[in-house]
Amino acid sequence: MRNKILIVAAVLTGAMGLAAGKCESAESTGQTAATERGRKTITVGFSQIGAESGWRTAETESVRSEAARRGIRLKFSDAQQRQENQIKALGAFIAQKVDAIILAPVVEAGWEPILKQAKAARIPVILVDRGVNVSDDSLYTTLIASDFVAEGKMAGEWLAGKLDGKGNVAELQGTPGAAPAIDRKKGFADSLKNHPNIRIVKSQSGEFTRAKGKEVMEAFLKAAQGSGTKINAVYAHNDDMALGAIQAIEEAGLKPGTDIIVVSIDGIKPAFEAMVAGKLNCTVECNPLLGPAAFDAVEAVLARRPLPKKSVVRDRIFDQSVAKDVIGSREY
Ligand code: AHR
């Protein structure tokens, strides 16, 4: 659908709602609020992946502010992109006997042993944002996440329309082994099955960061120049990599958004600014404001209320034609 905006209202299937978190200071406000209500303060450990993108920072802020709003004591750990740091953090949370754990897992594989320890200690684990590969899904309580395959498909369908079914695409993948990198790649490739004249000519990880996105795009452009293959479009698995690629395209003397079409995923404010400036063509939203739903899940499991195994956040797609109108209402 050429240049057409597909706007799907944000819907959360499952029992939990999503709302923007409020900015409050975490620990002090939290404990006072809980004490005032005369109940035991809940302690939750949150193992976050890192701060690789604007999306990630928004997710951290959503969890922190929601914990404060509800009077929950939050123990926060930043893993700096390393799974072993997340496993250590979970081990520490278990030793400290937290009431629940919120985990945003950097990659899908390798979680069984530590999740077994949490289960043995009867500490519920709420997965946010990314899923895990485990043979026994009782090792976690629930997963709250976007449908990354659907996001990749939305990006692919939009791009196929924009390119009129023909062109060479360079793909910037996310962190190897991460659910959004695997699924966004798949969704995008699936959407191109009906468009045999659109070819993915380059595909490499830019690790979800702006710096790496730029570096990989520079290499793509050099290689393309050397081989005489024109790159018509860039598909980046997140906005930060797209913004890095835009810089590389400009430094190569080309016009991003015109000479090379750029489509990405997340919907962070800088992506909207780039769309308003005509440099980014389209972004598919991936809602990072998961704090309210995560703590709904924590409170439900501690109160022994039933929870769905998975709650899917449905996202929207925005292109340049609406960027100016909606930029003011973006929450992250
Ligand atoms: O898992 C969500 C992805 O992780 C976001 O798209 C990306 O920006 C982040 O780092």
Side-chain angles (χ1 to χ4, degrees), residues 49 52-56 129-130 148 151 180 184 207-208 237-240 265-266 286:
I49 292 167
E52 73 280 5
S53 61
W55 188 101
R56 185 67 52 201
D129 156 36
R130 300 183 182 178
F148 299 132
E151 290 173 349
R184 287 171 184 170
E207 292 164 19
F208 280 133
H237 290 191
N238 82 345
D239 288 341
D240 281 84
I265 297 175
D266 274 358
C286 177

Side-chain angles (χ1 to χ4, degrees), residues 8 11 35 42 46 51 85 94 136 146 169 183 205 230 301 320:
V8 182
V11 169
T35 314
I42 295 170
F46 175 32
N85 290 344
I94 295 166
D136 170 9
S146 287
V169 181
D183 292 352
S205 173
K230 188 170 164 28
V301 69
Q320 277 181 0

Side-chain angles (χ1 to χ4, degrees), residues 239-313:
D239 288 341
D240 281 84
M241 291 190 294
L243 294 168
I246 284 170
Q247 267 179 279
I249 294 167
E250 284 180 320
E251 284 173 21
L254 296 166
K255 274 182 96 175
T258 307
D259 295 330
I260 298 184
I261 303 303
V262 186
V263 57
S264 59
I265 297 175
D266 274 358
I268 59 172
K269 213 159 209 171
F272 280 82
E273 286 160 3
M275 284 200 286
V276 171
K279 297 178 179 186
L280 178 75
N281 300 83
C282 178
T283 185
V284 177
E285 181 181 62
C286 177
N287 193 335
L289 306 178
L290 302 177
F295 289 108
D296 280 353
V298 167
E299 292 185 343
V301 69
L302 295 180
R304 296 176 193 273
R305 288 198 301 273
L307 278 167
K309 204 68 205 174
K310 186 173 180 183
S311 297
V312 181
V313 185

Side-chain angles (χ1 to χ4, degrees), residues 83-96:
Q83 185 181 33
E84 65 261 39
N85 290 344
Q86 292 203 286
I87 291 172
K88 270 190 212 146
L90 261 58
F93 295 152
I94 295 166
Q96 291 158 14

Side-chain angles (χ1 to χ4, degrees), residues 55-113:
W55 188 101
R56 185 67 52 201
T57 308
E59 189 197 41
T60 297
E61 172 52 23
S62 173
V63 172
R64 278 188 190 279
S65 61
E66 189 62 19
R69 200 180 72 75
R70 294 184 189 217
I72 289 173
R73 185 188 294 122
L74 190 71
K75 290 177 179 286
F76 178 78
S77 172
D78 176 336
Q80 306 194 338
Q81 311 301 314
R82 296 171 68 165
Q83 185 181 33
E84 65 261 39
N85 290 344
Q86 292 203 286
I87 291 172
K88 270 190 212 146
L90 261 58
F93 295 152
I94 295 166
Q96 291 158 14
K97 298 188 170 42
V98 297
D99 296 297
I101 291 171
I102 298 176
L103 168 65
V106 61
V107 290
E108 285 187 327
W111 296 101
E112 293 230 8

